[in-house]
């Protein structure tokens, strides 16, 4: 198996500074075509569909915010605001935020659906690395097992769709991130950029909305 590093060390996947490279999953997506799907039981996962769905919810949230911002202060002499339209915009925004949260939570759950590598403080030997999709241990030319540099998963080149080419793996010092990590990081960047936040992961997004409508504290607390 193509294990990076050998033996496999948890520190290599930490969110802190890395010795080998500085590329992030989102940067990988921007730098070259994204390996969008993982093959499980002969069928591709729906990662691209989840990306499209989350982007759609984010677009609806933007449109609702535009409406709410436009009437944040009265813009006519009478000071009349379209109450029904504003109420609809608030409801649309709430539903869109809920959609972003649920879609990205489901996307993250793909990791738990795929078998995860187990390791201790001593790491894991290359011989113990298996494919998280097909659970196979065998590596052959052009179908090596590649470790994701973010999560505890590894995949055969051909268990990714489109398959990972040998040319893409020529630089042994470069980072590689699985389709789920790339998708999650790319969407999280988009949410943070729009919201003006710096949420470190999916489960910390929109804390007020996650707590429910009766939450007393704000997102900024």
């Amino acid at each position: 198996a193509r294990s990076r590093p050998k033996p496999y060390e948890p520190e290599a996947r930490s969110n802190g500074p890395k010795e080998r490279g500085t590329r992030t999953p989102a940067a990988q997506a921007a730098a070259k075509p994204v390996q969008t799907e993982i093959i499980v039981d002969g069928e591709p996962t729906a990662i691209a569909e989840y990306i499209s769905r989350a982007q759609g919810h984010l677009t609806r949230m933007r449109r609702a915010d535009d409406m709410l911002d436009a009437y944040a202060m009265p813009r006519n002499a009478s000071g009349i605001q379209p109450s029904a339209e504003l109420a609809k915009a608030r409801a649309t925004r709430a539903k869109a935020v809920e959609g972003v949260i649920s879609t990205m939570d489901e996307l993250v759950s793909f990791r738990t659906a795929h078998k995860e590598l187990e390791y201790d403080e001593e790491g894991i030997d290359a011989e113990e690395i298996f494919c998280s999709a097909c659970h196979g241990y065998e590596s052959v030319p052009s179908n090596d097992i590649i470790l994701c540099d973010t999560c505890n998963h590894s995949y055969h080149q051909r268990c990714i769709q489109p398959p990972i080419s040998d040319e893409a793996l020529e630089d042994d010092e470069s980072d590689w991130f699985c389709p789920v990590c790339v998708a999650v990081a790319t969407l999280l960047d988009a949410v943070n950029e729009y919201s003006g936040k710096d949420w470190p992961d999916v489960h910390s997004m929109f804390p007020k909305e996650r707590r429910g409508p009766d939450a007393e504290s704000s997102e900024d607390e």
Side-chain angles (χ1 to χ4, degrees), residues 51-218:
I51 293 173
S52 178
R53 190 188 306 173
Q55 290 173 334
H57 289 309
L58 192 56
T59 296
R60 284 185 284 276
M61 186 172 69
R62 288 192 183 104
R63 291 174 180 170
D65 282 337
D66 287 343
M67 175 69 173
L68 295 170
D69 290 343
Y71 288 93
M73 296 183 66
R75 296 199 174 199
N76 52 43
S78 64
I80 297 176
Q81 293 185 332
S83 300
E85 288 80 359
L86 290 175
K88 182 178 179 181
R90 293 188 188 95
T92 297
R93 186 188 192 281
K95 187 174 181 180
V97 171
E98 180 182 349
V100 171
I101 292 173
S102 62
T103 300
M104 292 184 67
D105 280 352
E106 289 181 45
L107 187 57
V108 170
S109 73
F110 278 10
R111 293 178 180 142
T112 60
H114 300 161
K115 193 173 181 181
E116 184 175 355
L117 293 174
E118 296 182 0
Y119 57 88
D120 54 28
E121 63 276 3
E122 296 181 357
I124 184 172
D125 292 332
E127 292 75 15
E128 298 177 351
I129 297 173
F130 56 82
C131 176
S132 297
C134 71
H135 304 170
Y137 286 81
E138 184 179 6
S139 293
V140 296
S142 298
N143 197 27
D144 206 346
I145 299 177
I146 315 301
L147 293 177
C148 176
D149 284 292
T150 296
C151 65
N152 300 344
H153 297 82
S154 55
Y155 298 94
H156 278 113
Q157 291 175 245
R158 296 176 188 170
C159 284
I160 302 295
Q161 187 183 71
I164 307 170
S165 67
D166 291 335
E167 291 75 15
L169 301 175
E170 287 180 351
D171 184 3
D172 194 55
E173 297 301 313
S174 66
D175 298 327
W176 179 80
F177 305 99
C178 73
V180 175
C181 288
V182 170
V184 169
T186 302
L187 290 172
L188 183 60
D189 280 357
V191 171
N192 278 332
E193 181 179 1
Y194 174 70
S195 304
K197 303 293 184 180
D198 192 24
W199 290 315
D201 53 56
V202 171
H203 297 302
S204 56
M205 296 188 318
F206 303 109
K208 181 178 179 180
E209 286 80 356
R210 285 182 180 275
R211 290 193 296 268
D214 296 329
E216 296 181 359
S217 56
S218 67

